[in-house]
């Protein structure tokens, strides 16, 4: 059965587009039923509309607390019958109520090799720390930020002369490979959450790794 999923964005939406392409070429047995942005000016919104996707903007009202915004967001997603929510550059911390409701059906993509470099500005911090490898991770979302079980990672080796821009571009290319793969697994029933563990084909996924040059 084809998976109905929602994608939440705040910006460019290149991961949302990668997911959409994967539904079109059959890598994901499913379709995006709703693209929701918390910013009316997110470039990804226009791109989604061009592709004919259902889009909406949901901005927190002045003074609205996170819990109330989260409830409205969950209502919006449920309206479209989504069975999975994919966060794709959604720059808002979701409230506990939302995360608990969608637990096991809520994925995120993060630009680092988790558990290293949770949070923001990962490329800069990787460079400052003198790391030799970097990458990105798809993980199930739990209440603690960027702490949920990892499903798949993309990994690259730093090159002389790498800067934030080059790392961002290289990491994004990997993101566009691994996110559709993770959602495709979920859609086909191969990926599931059980008691806080990401199971792929019934076993702890232990984080599958895609190397940049593979
Ligand atoms: C990605 O780098 C993702 O890892 C992070 O936000 C960025 C979103 O990029 N969570 P895009 O909007 O999908 O192009």
């Amino acid at each position: 059965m084809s998976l109905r999923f929602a994608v939440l964005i705040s910006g460019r939406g290149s991961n949302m587009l990668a997911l959409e392409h994967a539904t079109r070429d059959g890598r994901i047995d499913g379709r995006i039923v709703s693209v929701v942005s918390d910013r009316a000016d997110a470039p990804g919104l226009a791109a989604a509309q061009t592709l004919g996707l259902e889009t909406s903007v949901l901005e927190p009202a002045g003074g609205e607390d996170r819990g109330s915004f989260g409830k409205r967001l969950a209502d919006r997603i449920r309206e479209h019958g989504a069975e999975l929510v994919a966060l794709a550059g959604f720059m808002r911390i979701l409230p506990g109520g939302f995360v608990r409701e969608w637990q096991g059906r809520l994925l995120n993509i993060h630009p680092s090799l988790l558990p290293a470099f949770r949070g923001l500005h990962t490329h800069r911090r990787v460079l400052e720390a003198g790391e030799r490898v970097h990458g990105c991770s798809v993980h199930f979302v739990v209440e603690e930020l960027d702490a949920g079980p990892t499903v798949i990672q993309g990994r690259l080796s730093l090159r002389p002369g790498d800067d934030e821009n080059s790392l961002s571009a290289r990491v994004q290319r990997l993101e566009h490979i691994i996110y559709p793969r993770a959602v495709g697994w979920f859609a086909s029933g191969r990926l599931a959450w059980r008691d806080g563990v990401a199971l792929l084909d019934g076993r702890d996924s232990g984080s599958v790794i895609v190397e940049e040059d593979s």
Side-chain angles (χ1 to χ4, degrees), residues 58-76:
L58 201 68
E59 289 172 314
E64 182 176 22
D65 65 37
R66 205 192 284 170
S68 154
F69 177 72
K71 279 187 192 139
R72 290 201 295 126
L73 188 59
D75 288 345
R76 179 68 53 89

Side-chain angles (χ1 to χ4, degrees), residues 9-16 87-91 108-111 123 136 171-172 175-176:
I9 65 169
S10 300
R12 188 167 37 169
S14 69
N15 279 285
M16 177 270 299
L87 306 180
F90 188 67
M91 299 303 289
N108 183 42
I109 181 124
H110 179 78
H123 310 310
C136 46
V171 166
Q172 280 234 305
E175 291 184 346
H176 301 161

Side-chain angles (χ1 to χ4, degrees), residues 2-3 5 14-32 51 53 175-185 187:
S2 180
L3 178 79
F5 65 104
S14 69
N15 279 285
M16 177 270 299
L17 294 173
L19 291 170
E20 169 62 9
H21 290 143
T23 66
R24 292 180 182 213
D25 69 18
R27 279 175 293 149
I28 297 174
D29 177 14
R31 69 186 182 91
I32 298 176
L51 290 171
L53 294 172
E175 291 184 346
H176 301 161
I177 296 168
I178 66 169
Y179 213 0
R181 201 169 294 179
V183 174
W185 287 337

Side-chain angles (χ1 to χ4, degrees), residues 60-206:
E64 182 176 22
D65 65 37
R66 205 192 284 170
S68 154
F69 177 72
K71 279 187 192 139
R72 290 201 295 126
L73 188 59
D75 288 345
R76 179 68 53 89
I77 294 165
R78 268 189 249 106
E79 269 169 31
H80 296 281
E83 300 155 298
L84 171 77
V85 177
L87 306 180
F90 188 67
M91 299 303 289
R92 221 166 261 284
I93 296 175
L94 292 163
F98 184 99
V99 174
R100 285 191 293 276
E101 176 181 346
W102 290 93
Q103 190 155 73
R105 300 175 297 147
L106 182 57
L107 292 173
N108 183 42
I109 181 124
H110 179 78
S112 80
L113 293 171
L114 290 172
F117 301 101
R118 295 178 186 174
L120 297 173
H121 310 301
T122 57
H123 310 310
R124 186 192 313 161
R125 288 159 55 211
V126 159
L127 288 164
E128 283 167 359
E131 296 289 330
R132 303 173 73 109
V133 292
H134 184 33
C136 46
S137 310
V138 175
H139 64 96
F140 281 107
V141 175
V142 296
E143 286 186 56
E144 192 183 344
L145 191 67
D146 300 329
T150 301
V151 173
I152 182 170
Q153 296 185 310
R155 185 166 62 190
L156 57 79
S157 298
L158 271 84
R159 296 175 185 148
D162 262 328
D163 58 15
E164 279 189 66
N165 287 336
S166 67
L167 283 184
S168 166
R170 292 173 66 197
V171 166
Q172 280 234 305
R173 274 196 292 277
L174 283 168
E175 291 184 346
H176 301 161
I177 296 168
I178 66 169
Y179 213 0
R181 201 169 294 179
V183 174
W185 287 337
F186 192 93
S188 65
R190 293 183 60 191
L191 173 66
W193 155 286
R194 194 186 305 149
D195 302 331
V197 179
L199 295 179
L200 180 64
D201 298 329
R203 294 188 196 164
D204 188 341
S205 88

